[in-house]
Amino acid sequence: MRKILIFLFSCFFSIHAHDIAHGQSIFPAKSDQNSSILTIYSSLEEVLAEPLIAVFQEQNPDIEIQYYDLQTLDIYERVIQESDGGQNTADLVISSAMDLQVKLVNDGYVLAIRPTDPQWPSWAKWQDSAFGLTFEPSVIVYNKTKFKTLKPPANRSELASLLKDQDSDLFGQIGTYDIERSGLGFLFLARDIEHDRDIWSLVNAMGASGVKLYPSSASILERVSDGKLSLGYNILGSYAQSWAATNSDLGIILPEDFTVVMTRIALVPKAAENPELSAQFLRFLMSEKGQRIMAEDLELAAVHPAIKGDNTASAFREKFGTRLRPISIGPGLVAYLDQVKRARFFERWNRALRGE
């Protein structure tokens, strides 16, 4: 009986314990010495984060990592509630909700640290408090078999024309984000308007073509891949690239008029229990080694300008040049978090879908 108990105990703690709390995974320290605990709230799926955590713990065997895989709004609300309640919150927060991350900085919930080298792009950092880690374009995806007799659109004007062409037979075959349910979809469309004031005519054309709305990139990619949809608009490029790697029927277009690029933002809350550990992990994420792991193992394009080769910001810029429009980290991101402005935006969106 004692041997059985020892065996079960060792199995429980061998690699990491999952679901100890909702969305929580524990990666025990590799060392037998007294360990420090680093707590991370992240919208990046735990399975994707594991290669980064493994290498960091090889370099820092005395650090245990508690990783919470959470939705972006949950992360934002949790940091505020814990901080305002006088509790410790995460040591490090990583989220694709750029606007919510910047609002945390703007509202005084974040520490200023200096983990970067002078090469880090100015658009990907703000006030020594918010740091962009990835380079992820918004793309158009299409099913190649559905476009055997049609030329895929190279830009938004061609897409609008294609949707208005009755011979294209694309009614009910277009998918995009439901911006009232998807923060990322809202962010992409708000940036589209910054670069193209005529974007509402495209939304009109999508509405007239029976566009279908979804809460996530994955739900659209699944339907385009299996042919239930012919085309998806404003899809997160990193996810599209991952799907295309195993589905030869999925085509990807970076619009030639302009391509919006988002980044996942990392920050250290003021209410962190171990800010020195979070700064250490952040330096690793922004190092050449950490960025290379992101590009090669996580399929998230690296920001670091010294990283060359496929799936890097450098490679994207060499290939696509000025059409790339990275979303700068800064106060402009919080403009549409104003509830009145947001309500007006949603009203304009719904009117455009109705053709008004």
Side-chain angles (χ1 to χ4, degrees):
M1 181 67 179
R2 183 173 178 273
K3 289 183 178 179
I4 293 174
L5 288 173
I6 292 173
F7 173 76
L8 291 174
F9 186 88
S10 63
C11 286
F12 182 79
F13 287 101
S14 59
I15 302 175
H16 67 273
H18 187 61
D19 286 337
I20 290 176
H22 180 66
Q24 180 190 20
S25 295
I26 294 179
F27 297 82
K30 305 298 182 184
S31 170
D32 293 331
Q33 300 175 358
N34 293 333
S35 61
S36 301
I37 298 176
L38 171 65
T39 303
I40 300 172
Y41 295 169
S42 177
S43 62
L44 181 65
E45 293 179 15
E46 175 238 331
V47 67
L48 294 177
E50 283 186 8
L52 286 164
I53 292 172
V55 174
F56 178 77
Q57 287 189 311
E58 286 175 8
Q59 299 175 352
N60 303 274
D62 58 339
I63 297 178
E64 173 184 307
I65 293 179
Q66 296 187 2
Y67 191 90
Y68 291 78
D69 179 354
L70 303 170
Q71 297 297 314
T72 56
L73 185 58
D74 293 336
I75 291 172
Y76 171 77
E77 292 177 343
R78 190 164 178 167
V79 169
I80 290 176
Q81 290 169 2
E82 291 170 347
S83 300
D84 288 350
Q87 303 171 262
N88 290 128
T89 188
D91 298 308
L92 184 67
V93 174
I94 305 170
S95 174
S96 57
M98 297 181 66
D99 47 0
L100 295 179
Q101 292 289 79
V102 168
K103 185 164 174 57
L104 286 175
V105 177
N106 209 44
D107 292 348
Y109 287 96
V110 179
L111 285 174
I113 57 176
R114 289 181 172 81
T116 61
D117 61 47
Q119 298 182 79
W120 204 259
S122 58
W123 68 267
K125 58 184 177 181
W126 186 53
Q127 292 191 352
D128 291 324
S129 299
F131 305 92
L133 303 176
T134 61
F135 194 86
E136 301 178 63
S138 170
V139 303
I140 298 171
V141 296
Y142 66 98
N143 186 291
K144 294 177 182 178
T145 61
K146 296 293 188 80
F147 278 82
K148 284 183 178 178
T149 59
L150 286 174
K151 178 178 177 289
N155 53 52
R156 289 166 182 79
S157 177
E158 288 187 8
L159 175 56
S161 297
L162 184 65
L163 295 178
K164 294 173 185 176
D165 183 356
Q166 294 183 353
D167 293 332
S168 66
D169 194 27
L170 289 176
F171 187 86
Q173 290 289 301
I174 308 302
T176 192
Y177 287 109
D178 180 348
I179 67 165
E180 294 187 71
R181 291 194 291 163
S182 167
L184 183 59
F186 180 90
L187 181 68
F188 280 153
L189 187 64
R191 265 59 232 176
D192 282 351
I193 292 170
E194 287 183 358
H195 301 295
D196 181 4
R197 288 294 176 181
D198 197 36
I199 198 68
W200 293 117
S201 64
L202 174 58
V203 179
N204 284 147
M206 288 195 291
S209 298
V211 65
K212 296 180 179 178
L213 306 179
Y214 298 92
S216 67
S217 288
S219 52
I220 300 170
L221 286 164
E222 179 182 357
R223 288 163 176 81
V224 175
S225 295
D226 64 17
K228 291 178 181 175
L229 292 177
S230 295
L231 183 144
Y233 177 72
N234 259 2
I235 311 305
L236 190 58
S238 55
Y239 289 173
Q241 185 177 347
S242 177
W243 279 72
T246 57
N247 191 317
S248 59
D249 285 337
L250 188 68
I252 300 174
I253 300 164
L254 274 71
E256 63 182 15
D257 45 351
F258 64 90
T259 296
V260 173
V261 181
M262 62 82 69
T263 184
R264 295 170 194 267
I265 295 178
L267 52 81
V268 179
K270 279 186 177 177
E273 184 174 4
N274 294 302
E276 69 287 346
L277 292 185
S278 45
Q280 188 176 345
F281 192 75
L282 184 53
R283 282 193 293 271
F284 166 70
L285 294 178
M286 300 175 76
S287 69
E288 291 189 34
K289 188 176 187 64
Q291 289 277 292
R292 191 168 284 110
I293 292 170
M294 284 190 196
E296 295 176 359
D297 295 342
L298 279 63
E299 297 187 10
L300 299 174
V303 171
H304 199 299
I307 306 294
K308 307 299 180 182
D310 295 338
N311 208 26
T312 64
S314 298
F316 274 109
R317 290 191 182 283
E318 287 176 11
K319 186 173 183 179
F320 299 107
T322 56
R323 82 168 69 169
L324 299 173
R325 309 290 172 82
I327 303 172
S328 294
I329 301 175
L333 278 166
V334 303
Y336 284 104
L337 291 177
D338 178 89
Q339 292 305 307
V340 174
K341 288 184 178 179
R342 201 173 183 87
R344 288 174 182 166
F345 196 98
F346 289 151
E347 182 184 358
R348 182 70 182 89
W349 159 259
N350 286 304
R351 288 205 317 270
L353 288 177
R354 294 193 299 266
E356 299 175 8

